[in-house]
Amino acid sequence: MALSAAPLKVCVVGSGNWGSAVAKIIGNNVKKLQKFASTVNMWVFEENINGRKLTDIINNDHENVKYLPGFKLPDNVVAIPNLREAVQDADLLVFVIPHQFIRKVCDEITGQVPRKALGITLIKGIDEGPEGLKLISDIIREKMGIDISVLMGANIASEVAAEKFCETTIGCKILENGLLFKELLQTPNFRITVVDDADAVELCGALKNIVAVGAGFCDGLCYGDNTKAAVIRLGLMEMIAFAKFFCKGQVSTATFLESCGIADLITTCYGGRNRRVAEAFVKTGKSIEELENEMLNGQKLQGPQTSAEVYRILKQKEMLDKFPLFTAVYQICYEGRPVEEIIACLQSHPEHNLIQNLLDTVERIPGF
């Protein structure tokens, strides 16, 4: 069903650092594009900051002082604490919340938006279903009955907010919908490529966070850039193999050369929060949860949680031995495996020809 000819109403579902950075882009863009309504709703989980409501601070001072301090938001971005009110009659939904909350959010807003609405998820994580892997886009699509595109790329929120040049990738099932979101989101310094390999794009965004945790462990152990480069390369191989095993449709290896693939992986392994917290995990001996509270203002780290979901899926399929890096990251985070054993995982990793054989034969393995 075609969208209305009236200006399209946009709601950003989420207001962390990435959600706020994206709201900044959208707010500025809709001022110049008549296709979109001039006001952008942003759902904000209400908090008190020094005696003031966070929504009041955003709406009056136009700054998310907790999650994106130092950057002004456009005055047409309106913070709304009530989720159902924020999404009411929205034509375009931009999902950017921690992945573990997506089911609850979808349950609450189903029926509040038109069936013809479109969504795009910027959520970097995966979930589990009764048959194994469950993509976040699949959850939204099934619960809300709307088409969902995905956006993933080398996009550190503070750098995007500062309007430093970067690239990103939109993956879509329906090309015209991906192109519509490109129009909504692209700027001269936020360059977007649209591809039709949506599932692989989404998996890249989730799996690279596991690899970044491994890179952070190497930094915490002071193993140097050569070792971290090995983590990145072997991690990329595991990402490609996992996607080829578990995606329902055909996966193009070329997708991993887009911003959502190798670029996002490199950025996250050198500059992202997963790398940073993993390094502190080694150096301080504190738990992941303690470090989230100290270093991320309580925001949840995606890498360890995604490693747990991937571990359970691989264990169910009896494939843990084929993904030693993913497996080691989970065991170090949650099972007390000594972090120094990350090097043993690299030393015993399958040689390239074995991984290539794995990639070449996955299409012949039934049941995925």
Side-chain angles (χ1 to χ4, degrees):
M1 185 182 296
L3 288 170
S4 168
L8 302 174
K9 297 178 181 178
V10 182
C11 177
V12 179
V13 182
S15 58
N17 61 345
W18 188 209
S20 297
V22 168
K24 180 175 182 284
I25 289 175
I26 294 173
N28 286 324
N29 277 356
V30 299
K31 290 181 179 181
K32 300 173 284 188
L33 299 170
Q34 293 184 345
K35 181 181 291 187
F36 306 102
S38 58
T39 297
V40 176
N41 286 356
M42 179 171 70
W43 174 56
V44 175
F45 183 80
E46 191 67 279
E47 301 179 64
N48 284 310
I49 309 295
N50 297 324
R52 296 178 67 191
K53 292 181 178 179
L54 181 57
T55 52
D56 290 342
I57 296 172
I58 293 172
N59 290 331
N60 289 295
D61 302 345
H62 307 296
E63 181 181 353
N64 188 334
V65 294
K66 180 165 186 180
Y67 296 116
L68 195 69
F71 296 98
K72 288 292 183 181
L73 299 176
D75 56 10
N76 61 332
V77 172
V78 178
I80 300 175
N82 184 290
L83 176 57
R84 293 166 70 88
E85 179 186 344
V87 304
Q88 185 73 45
D89 298 326
D91 299 295
L92 302 176
L93 296 167
V94 181
F95 292 93
V96 54
I97 57 175
H99 76 277
Q100 59 268 32
F101 301 130
I102 191 61
R103 291 180 184 273
K104 181 180 177 182
V105 164
C106 286
D107 286 340
E108 187 168 344
I109 66 178
T110 295
Q112 298 299 117
V113 298
R115 297 285 292 185
K116 64 184 179 181
L118 302 175
I120 188 167
T121 169
L122 283 62
I123 300 169
K124 296 183 174 181
I126 58 174
D127 205 343
E128 297 168 82
E131 299 176 1
L133 177 70
K134 196 78 170 176
L135 296 174
I136 301 302
S137 60
D138 288 335
I139 295 171
I140 301 171
R141 192 178 292 112
E142 291 171 10
K143 283 186 170 289
M144 299 189 63
I146 63 176
D147 183 66
I148 297 291
S149 301
V150 299
L151 182 148
M152 305 285 156
N155 309 138
I156 293 175
S158 59
E159 295 182 15
V160 173
E163 300 181 16
K164 297 178 180 179
F165 179 82
C166 68
E167 298 177 308
T168 199
T169 310
I170 288 178
C172 57
K173 307 280 189 182
I174 301 172
L175 183 59
E176 65 178 312
N177 294 345
L179 292 173
L180 177 63
F181 280 109
K182 176 178 179 176
E183 190 175 357
L184 176 68
L185 289 159
Q186 182 162 263
T187 74
N189 285 323
F190 191 64
R191 182 172 176 264
I192 298 174
T193 300
V194 179
V195 301
D196 62 1
D197 198 2
D199 290 352
V201 170
E202 186 169 358
L203 271 178
C204 282
L207 299 175
K208 57 92 182 182
N209 284 327
I210 304 176
V211 184
V213 173
F217 291 158
C218 289
D219 287 342
L221 294 164
C222 299
Y223 279 167
D225 287 335
N226 291 342
T227 304
K228 187 154 78 168
V231 168
I232 293 171
R233 189 189 77 82
L234 295 170
L236 178 62
M237 297 299 287
E238 290 193 16
M239 287 169 59
I240 297 171
F242 189 94
K244 286 183 176 285
F245 263 119
F246 292 100
C247 283
K248 299 181 187 73
Q250 190 71 24
V251 171
S252 171
T253 305
T255 300
F256 294 84
L257 300 179
E258 297 288 350
S259 181
C260 63
I262 187 64
D264 196 9
L265 180 61
I266 292 171
T267 296
T268 308
C269 286
Y270 277 91
R273 64 174 71 177
N274 287 278
R275 185 220 64 80
R276 188 160 44 92
V277 174
E279 180 181 20
F281 176 85
V282 178
K283 291 185 173 180
T284 67
K286 295 180 180 178
S287 70
I288 295 293
E289 187 175 10
E290 287 176 300
L291 293 168
E292 286 172 337
N293 290 328
E294 291 180 12
M295 301 175 67
L296 303 178
N297 283 326
Q299 291 188 97
K300 291 299 179 184
L301 203 63
Q302 297 302 303
Q305 292 194 30
T306 303
S307 77
E309 284 144 3
V310 165
Y311 181 86
R312 287 191 288 269
I313 292 167
L314 293 174
K315 187 175 182 180
Q316 177 189 357
K317 300 293 186 181
E318 297 182 349
M319 295 175 62
L320 291 173
D321 61 320
K322 292 181 170 61
F323 296 87
L325 179 60
F326 288 175
T327 299
V329 167
Y330 165 76
Q331 292 173 335
I332 292 167
C333 286
Y334 294 108
E335 294 189 344
R337 183 176 178 179
V339 69
E340 292 81 7
E341 290 189 12
I342 193 76
I343 197 70
C345 147
L346 304 179
Q347 291 167 337
S348 62
H349 206 285
E351 294 295 330
H352 174 77
N353 63 327
L354 294 179
I355 298 176
Q356 192 58 53
N357 289 339
L358 178 65
L359 299 181
D360 289 342
T361 58
V362 289
E363 287 80 5
R364 299 200 296 271
I365 298 176
F368 296 102

